[in-house]
């Protein structure tokens, strides 16, 4: 089993500097993360979760490891191996790991399992918790930006045209992706119902070449803003957007650094904080909630800064996003969670 272990020199440095003298760092506690097939380096949800682990190491002194999954068939083996190694806290990343983590958690009742992006509210297992995000809410905000910029304010950038077409690249047709894109479609259509939102599913969260090919095809149909919801495969979509001089909206994390002149904004899940908080609760010996579902109200999701595009995205659009945020939190905007419902409006 391939593992990435944080450099032991970090701990040595902490000992020599006296940081480990505090009781905060005295407790022996180990946490391992089992990645989705996109793995570390996806600039998306795996990296976000890994940052949560590193935060736990930095703030709590937790010993952390990462086990990379190359295929879905690795999930049970990797999760079981993490439990066999005696880790206190085992984190699974991604909806696709849902069945595997339920199977393994049932076999290791003394280990605490947590999964990102999968609802565990119906499970009877006391040692399994899930963290999910109301991605339709932040997808809606991203849609407001895309809907305005693709047509009404297309003169603001040479990377935009006036064809009223935006696109989304989906890794797979699974609930966390569908809620994202349903919200996005609804947000775009709240600006103008006549704007086309083209979607394509590539069947992968780990193959950038598929993301690029799909985006190339969307661009040929007039898309000038693409929203990739495909993990590390989405990096290929961003690459295509950059190559063809259109704009992209990042996902899960603030992806501006991937392509600063291409990423208009990003629809973010606050994965890093939620993972850290889950580890901290477990570290303190407290019981985790059976299922945690977070959205704009909880700061579990949110739109990233516009960075260099802040001068291009008009104040009117930024104000529209701010107003929609308040209305969503107040329950005054109904946002569909299925593409079928979103397309009916």
């Amino acid at each position: 089993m391939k593992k990435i272990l944080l450099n032991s020199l970090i701990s040595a440095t902490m000992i020599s500097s006296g940081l480990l003298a505090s009781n905060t760092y005295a407790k022996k506690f180990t946490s391992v993360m089992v990645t989705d097939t996109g793995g570390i380096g996806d600039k998306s949800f795996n990296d976000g979760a890994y940052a949560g682990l590193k935060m736990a190491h930095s703030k709590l002194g937790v010993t952390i490891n990462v086990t990379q999954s190359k295929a879905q068939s690795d999930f049970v083996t990797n999760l079981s191996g993490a439990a066999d190694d005696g880790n206190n806290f085992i984190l699974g990343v991604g909806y696709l790991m849902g069945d595997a983590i339920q199977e393994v958690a049932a076999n290791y009742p003394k280990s605490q399992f947590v999964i990102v992006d999968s609802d565990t509210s119906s499970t009877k297992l006391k040692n399994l918790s899930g963290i999910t995000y109301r991605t339709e809410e932040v997808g809606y905000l991203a849609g407001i930006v895309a809907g305005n910029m693709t047509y009404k304010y297309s003169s603001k950038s040479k990377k935009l045209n006036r064809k009223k077409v935006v696109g989304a690249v989906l890794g797979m047709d699974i609930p966390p992706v569908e809620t994202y894109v349903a919200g996005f479609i609804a947000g775009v259509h709240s600006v103008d119902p006549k704007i086309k939102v083209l979607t394509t599913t590539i069947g992968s969260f780990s193959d950038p070449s598929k993301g690029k090919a799909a985006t190339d095809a969307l661009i040929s149909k007039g898309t000038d803003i693409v929203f990739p919801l495909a993990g590390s495969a989405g990096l290929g979509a961003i690459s295509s957007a950059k190559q063809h001089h259109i704009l992209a909206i990042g996902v899960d994390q603030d992806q501006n650094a991937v392509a600063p002149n291409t990423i208009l904004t990003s629809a973010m899940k606050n994965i890093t904080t939620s993972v850290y908080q889950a580890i901290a609760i477990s570290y303190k010996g407290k019981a985790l909630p059976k299922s945690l579902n977070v959205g704009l109200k909880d700061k579990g999701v949110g739109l990233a800064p516009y960075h260099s595009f802040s001068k291009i995205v008009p104040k009117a659009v930024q104000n529209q996003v701010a107003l929609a945020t308040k209305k969503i939190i107040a329950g005054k905007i109904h946002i569909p969670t299925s593409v079928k419902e979103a397309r009916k409006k």
Side-chain angles (χ1 to χ4, degrees), residues 196-314:
K196 292 182 179 179
V197 184
L198 306 178
T199 61
T200 181
T201 303
I202 60 175
S204 173
F205 287 110
S206 58
D207 189 344
S209 66
K210 289 185 177 181
K212 185 178 187 307
T215 305
D216 290 346
L218 290 176
I219 292 170
S220 72
K221 296 177 182 178
T223 294
D224 59 359
I225 300 176
V226 65
F227 186 30
L229 303 159
S232 60
L235 297 177
I238 294 172
S239 175
S240 173
K242 183 177 179 180
Q243 178 185 342
H244 293 283
H245 306 290
I246 70 161
L247 298 178
I249 293 175
V251 69
D252 290 342
Q253 293 200 100
D254 184 348
Q255 292 188 309
N256 178 262
V258 176
N261 296 320
T262 300
I263 303 294
L264 182 60
T265 183
S266 298
M268 303 185 300
K269 299 174 187 172
N270 199 351
I271 297 174
T272 298
T273 299
S274 54
V275 166
Y276 167 74
Q277 290 175 341
I279 295 174
I281 290 170
S282 188
Y283 173 85
K284 293 173 183 177
K286 297 180 180 179
L288 285 164
K290 178 58 61 182
S291 182
L292 183 64
N293 178 247
V294 293
L296 288 172
K297 184 177 181 179
D298 321 287
K299 301 187 185 303
V301 299
L303 208 60
Y306 302 102
H307 297 288
S308 62
F309 291 100
S310 59
K311 296 179 180 179
I312 293 174
V313 179

Side-chain angles (χ1 to χ4, degrees), residues 56 88 105 127 130 132 195 237 311:
N88 304 93
N127 62 327
T132 54
I195 298 173
K311 296 179 180 179

Side-chain angles (χ1 to χ4, degrees), residues 20-88:
L20 290 184
S22 166
N23 288 334
T24 304
Y25 294 95
K27 182 177 179 179
K28 174 67 174 175
F29 191 94
T30 58
S31 177
V32 64
M33 166 181 157
V34 176
T35 73
D36 187 64
T37 55
I40 299 299
D42 66 351
K43 309 295 183 183
S44 186
F45 60 96
N46 283 287
D47 281 2
Y50 183 41
L53 254 74
K54 290 191 288 186
M55 187 182 293
H57 173 79
S58 175
K59 292 188 174 184
L60 303 174
V62 171
T63 299
I64 63 173
N65 293 279
V66 176
T67 302
Q68 301 261 36
S69 301
K70 299 299 182 184
Q72 287 180 238
S73 57
D74 295 335
F75 291 163
V76 170
T77 299
N78 289 347
L79 290 165
S80 298
D84 285 333
D85 289 344
N87 289 283
N88 304 93

